[in-house]
Every structure is written in C-alpha cells, then in structure tokens.
Amino acid sequence: MKPRSNSRVPVDYEASFTSDVANGTGLLRNLTIGGSEIESDVQLAVGTPLRLRVKTSGARPSIVISLGIVRWKQDNRYGVEFIRFEGTAKQKLED
C-alpha cells in the first residue's frame, strides 16, 4: 500500500452534493487537500463524478469542489478525490 501524501484532518462538516445520478447531503470526515470521506444515506457508485458544497465551521463561506470522483465505497461511506476546485476553494482548504 502506498503511503498518503496528505495528512488527514478529522472534521465533521455538512456537505451537499450533486451528480448526474443523485443529489444529497452528508457529513465530511477525514479531510485532506486531495479528498475526503463522506458519510451519506444516498447510494453512489464508484466512479461517480460529483459537485460538492462544504459548509465549514464558523461564519466562513462554503467551499465548492466543482469536480470530485467517488474512488471507494463501504456501506454508507465514500472516499471522494477532489479533482477541480472552484475559485479560491483549494486555498481555503489549505488554510
């Protein structure tokens, strides 16, 4: 197994997502600059492209990932790789 290049940060952020096959909400966990784990009751297949809107803590504006891909699935948990960020979203995650 290849070691991760980005450190995981435990979070509990609300997120909404849209795709061609489903729309829904969930909770983000284990956030990195390259992706996150999402817990949701909405069923998504591996390979599904998503647009994510993440509500961070406090009064900060939402972070928008314009393209994420579901890379793994286990029960109601999904690993999503962040491919493309909207505006300054990547900088906000790095901060």
Side-chain angles (χ1 to χ4, degrees):
M1 180 179 266
K2 189 168 88 171
R4 293 186 179 273
S5 58
N6 299 308
S7 298
R8 293 182 191 186
V9 177
V11 295
D12 191 17
Y13 293 155
E14 290 181 31
S16 59
F17 55 86
T18 58
S19 76
D20 290 342
V21 295
N23 300 323
T25 60
L27 293 175
L28 253 71
R29 316 261 187 211
N30 298 323
L31 182 64
T32 73
I33 193 66
S36 72
E37 178 182 322
I38 298 177
E39 192 174 307
S40 176
D41 291 332
V42 176
Q43 294 299 304
L44 300 170
V46 171
T48 301
L50 302 171
R51 177 179 172 86
L52 294 163
R53 180 173 298 276
V54 181
K55 296 178 187 175
T56 59
S57 59
R60 294 180 180 171
S62 296
I63 295 172
V64 178
I65 291 87
S66 54
L67 178 60
I69 306 284
V70 176
R71 296 298 187 194
W72 60 263
K73 173 184 175 183
Q74 183 177 12
D75 301 322
N76 67 338
R77 296 175 24 231
Y78 303 90
V80 176
E81 178 184 7
F82 300 155
I83 305 296
R84 191 169 49 241
F85 298 88
E86 189 169 287
T88 59
K90 188 171 185 178
Q91 181 63 42
K92 290 176 187 176
L93 280 178
E94 288 173 343
D95 291 344

